[in-house]
Amino acid sequence: MAVIQARNPRTGKQDYEFVAADAGTVSHAVANARTAQRDWYRKGLDHRVQALTSWAKALEARADAITAALADDTGRTRISREELGAVIHFIHGYSDAAPEVLAQPFRKFSNNSDVVFKTTLIPYPVVGVISPWNFPLVLSFIDAIPALLAGAAVVIKPSEVTPRFVVPLQESINDVPELKGVITLLQGAAETGQALLSTVDAIVFTGSVATGRKIAVAAAERFIPAFLELGGKDPAVVLAGSDIERAATSILRSALYNTGQVCYAIERVYVDDSIHDAFVQELARQAQTLRRSLSAGDGGHYGPFIHAPQGDIVRAQLQDAVAKGARVVTGGTVETVDGAVWLDPTIVVDVNHSMDLMTQETFGPVVPVMRFTSEDEAAHLANDTIYGLSGAVFGPDTHTAGDFATRMEAGGVSINDTELQRGMMFDGEKTAFKFSGMGGSRYGSTSILRYVRKRALIANEGGIKPLDELSESV
Ligand code: NAD
C-alpha cells in the first residue's frame, strides 16, 4: 500500500502521511456506495434534504477541527473558514432549489391528447468527484451536493496535496447515520483517481487541463459522462475612461485572493494606452500597501504558496518573461523563508503573448499588464488563449463596458468589477468556454440535473392503433 506524505505550506515539513486507497479499496467503496444509493434515492428528496441539513449542523459543530485541519493543509485560516461556510451555504441553497428542479409533472402529447407522459429523473447511481488542492473542501463538495440531492451517492477523491481535512470531515459525515455509504471520501493521488474513474457511473473533475484531458479520454472509453471544471487565464480589459483606482483595487483583489491560486483569478490585464501608465502606477501603489500573513489573524493579506512546485512554475514564467523583455515593477522574487515559499504581489509590464506569463496558467500573485491602442486589439488579445473560464471589463459606464464584454469568449464576464460570478451560485448559469471545461453549468440550481438521466413513462389512455397500420397499401 502506498503511503503518501504531505508538506505543510507554512513550515515546508512533511508532517502528515496517509495510506492511498488502492484499486481494491476503491472498488469496494464504490460497491458500498451503489448499495447505499438505492435507499438514498428510494426514500425521496425530503429524506435527502433532511439528512444533508443534519450534516450542515454537524459541520457547524465540528467547524473548529475542520477549519484547523484545512488551515494546516493550505496555510491560510480565513479562507478555510470561508470554505466551510460556503459548503453549508451550498447545502441550504441547493436544498431549497431542488424541489422545483426535480419536479416531475405529468403532461400530454401535443399531437395526441390520449397519451400522457411523465419524464422521470433517474440519478447516476455513483458519481465520482476528483478535486484539486487550491480550495480542498469547497471543490470536493460544490458538485457533490447537487449530485446528492439528485439522488446519487458520491465517492470523492480530494487532492493528495491537502489531505488533512478529510479525517475531521469524515467524522462530521459519521455524525449523520443516513449518510453512511452515501458520501465516501477516499485519499490518494492519480492512481486512486484512475481507479475511481474505472468504476463510477459519472465523474466530476476539477483540476488542470492536462489531467482533465486524461479524465475525458478515460470517461469516453467507458461511455460515462465527464463534467470538467478546468484551468483559466482570465483577462481584465481596462477601457479608456475607466475609474483607475476602482479597476486597480478590483484586479489586485482578484489576482491576490488565495495568493492567486484560483482558477478564475485575473492573470493578465490589457489597458488602454491613454491610461496605461497611470493605471500601473496606481496598481503598484496599492500593491505596496499589502503584506504577508505570517500567522493566523495577523491582518496580513496573502500567504505562502500552498503547493511548493507552484512556486517553481511561477518563477520560471517570470524568468521567461524578463528574458523576453518584460520589466518587474513590484515583487518578482520567489523565495523560501523558514520552509514556506513566498512571492510578494508582482506587477509586470512590457509583456506580450510570446511569454508564458501571458499564455500559460500562472496560479500565483502576479499581474502582468499590457497596453492596447484599439478595442479591436484588446478583444483580440483577450481572446488569444486556449482558456475561456471568465474575465472582466472596466469602462466609463456599464453600457460601454458591457458592449465590450459581449466580445469576450468566456463563460462569465464581470463588468466594472471582477469575479462577480462567485456570488451567482444558485441564481444563474455559466459554462466554461474552450479548454476551461465542459459538461453543462456547475452554477445555477439546474446543475442538479447534470446528475440524472431522463426516463419517459408514457401511457396511452385511449384506443390503440390497429394492425392495418402495418399495411403497405395506402
Ligand atoms: P491536477 O489536475 O494536478 O489534479 C487535480 C486532481 O486530479 C487531484 O486530486 C489529483 O490527484 C487528480 N489526478 C491527477 N492525475 C490524475 C489521473 N491521471 N487520473 C485521475 N485523477 C488524477 O490539478 P491541481 O494542481 O490539483 O489543481 C490546480 C488546477 O485546478 C488548476 O489548473 C486550476 O485552474 C484548476 N482549478 C479549476 C477550477 C474550476 O472551477 N474551473 C477550480 C479550481 C482549480
Side-chain angles (χ1 to χ4, degrees):
M1 285 204 187
V3 173
I4 297 181
Q5 310 264 333
R7 173 186 166 277
N8 183 313
R10 285 208 172 261
T11 64
K13 296 203 172 90
Q14 309 273 0
D15 61 4
Y16 189 89
E17 62 179 36
F18 63 91
V19 177
D22 61 12
T25 308
V26 173
S27 156
H28 184 67
V30 172
N32 280 346
R34 215 177 280 292
T35 304
Q37 186 268 341
R38 288 189 205 119
D39 261 3
W40 179 246
Y41 176 54
R42 190 181 52 76
K43 288 185 176 169
L45 180 60
D46 285 352
H47 170 80
R48 303 199 286 274
V49 168
Q50 268 172 26
L52 290 173
T53 306
S54 301
W55 183 43
K57 289 188 186 126
L59 286 169
E60 273 165 13
R62 293 184 183 271
D64 288 349
I66 296 168
T67 52
L70 261 184
D72 285 344
D73 275 329
T74 58
R76 71 307 197 257
T77 302
R78 184 179 55 82
I79 295 176
S80 297
R81 282 199 295 268
E82 285 174 10
E83 284 205 67
L84 186 68
V87 169
I88 292 168
H89 181 59
F90 296 155
I91 292 172
H92 295 310
Y94 279 118
S95 293
D96 288 348
E100 191 180 331
V101 174
L102 293 172
Q104 303 173 24
F106 280 98
R107 296 216 167 82
K108 284 188 186 295
F109 273 13
S110 57
N111 60 354
N112 184 346
S113 58
D114 285 340
V115 179
V116 196
F117 75 98
K118 177 178 174 177
T119 302
T120 52
L121 305 175
I122 314 297
Y124 291 99
V126 183
V127 174
V129 177
I130 299 178
S131 55
W133 49 261
N134 61 328
F135 292 97
L137 176 61
V138 157
L139 293 172
S140 292
F141 285 95
I142 186 171
D143 305 299
I145 289 163
L148 287 161
L149 285 162
V154 295
V155 179
I156 303 167
K157 192 210 79 65
S159 170
E160 68 279 17
V161 176
T162 48
R164 296 168 186 79
F165 78 100
V166 171
V167 169
L169 194 84
Q170 185 64 57
E171 284 164 359
S172 74
I173 295 166
N174 297 347
D175 289 342
V176 185
E178 294 86 345
L179 295 179
K180 188 170 165 45
V182 172
I183 305 177
T184 307
L185 289 148
L186 292 176
Q187 300 263 40
E191 282 180 14
T192 307
Q194 284 160 352
L196 190 63
L197 261 168
S198 70
T199 51
V200 291
D201 307 304
I203 189 87
V204 198
F205 171 79
T206 306
S208 62
V209 170
T211 311
R213 183 175 284 115
K214 291 180 195 162
I215 304 280
V217 169
E221 290 281 352
R222 293 192 55 231
F223 289 116
I224 63 167
F227 306 106
L228 305 180
E229 310 288 346
L230 308 178
K233 186 76 189 167
D234 281 6
V237 174
V238 185
L239 301 173
S242 296
D243 177 334
I244 288 176
E245 188 180 343
R246 177 189 175 105
T249 302
S250 180
I251 287 168
L252 209 51
R253 195 195 60 227
S254 167
L256 262 65
Y257 182 64
N258 205 27
T259 317
Q261 301 158 120
V262 183
C263 54
Y264 50 70
I266 294 296
E267 291 209 352
R268 51 200 174 103
V269 185
Y270 304 97
V271 185
D272 188 276
D273 191 44
S274 64
I275 54 171
H276 173 276
D277 294 353
F279 174 82
V280 170
Q281 203 176 16
E282 176 61 17
L283 202 59
R285 185 192 69 74
Q286 294 192 23
Q288 277 153 3
T289 66
L290 305 175
R291 55 189 175 80
R292 296 181 185 182
S293 167
L294 298 172
S295 61
D298 69 357
H301 301 90
Y302 54 93
F305 283 102
I306 296 173
H307 191 33
Q310 199 61 43
D312 299 332
I313 293 169
V314 177
R315 182 189 292 113
Q317 287 191 7
L318 288 170
Q319 284 170 349
D320 170 71
V322 169
K324 290 173 178 163
R327 183 168 60 85
V328 173
V329 179
T330 64
T333 307
V334 178
E335 58 175 354
T336 302
V337 182
D338 298 332
V341 182
W342 292 91
L343 174 64
D344 293 326
T346 295
I347 296 165
V348 188
V349 294
D350 298 338
V351 291
N352 61 55
H353 283 207
S354 74
M355 301 168 184
D356 289 349
L357 189 62
M358 294 300 279
T359 57
Q360 312 288 314
E361 191 172 40
T362 302
F363 237 51
V366 185
V367 195
V369 185
M370 183 170 174
R371 64 179 82 228
F372 65 82
T373 52
S374 72
E375 291 195 7
D376 283 347
E377 185 190 9
H380 168 75
L381 290 167
N383 295 330
D384 180 25
T385 172
I386 61 165
Y387 296 105
L389 198 56
S390 39
V393 184
F394 292 83
D397 51 65
T398 306
H399 182 71
T400 309
D403 266 359
F404 187 90
T406 62
R407 303 177 70 177
M408 287 178 65
E409 295 163 4
V413 185
S414 298
I415 295 165
N416 281 328
D417 202 350
T418 52
E419 298 183 358
L420 292 173
Q421 73 277 1
R422 268 172 77 189
M424 200 169 71
M425 208 58 234
F426 317 111
D427 300 325
E429 299 182 5
K430 77 176 266 295
T431 46
F433 287 22
K434 302 183 186 172
F435 284 24
S436 286
M438 68 175 200
S441 178
R442 140 191 287 183
Y443 287 76
S445 53
T446 53
S447 73
I448 296 170
L449 298 178
R450 298 208 293 187
Y451 309 104
V452 297
R453 297 152 295 170
K454 291 177 181 165
R455 177 196 285 144
L457 296 176
I458 313 153
N460 182 358
E461 295 178 336
I464 59 166
K465 291 177 184 171
L467 284 175
D468 281 357
E469 285 252 327
L470 298 173
S471 166
E472 283 288 352
S473 56
V474 190

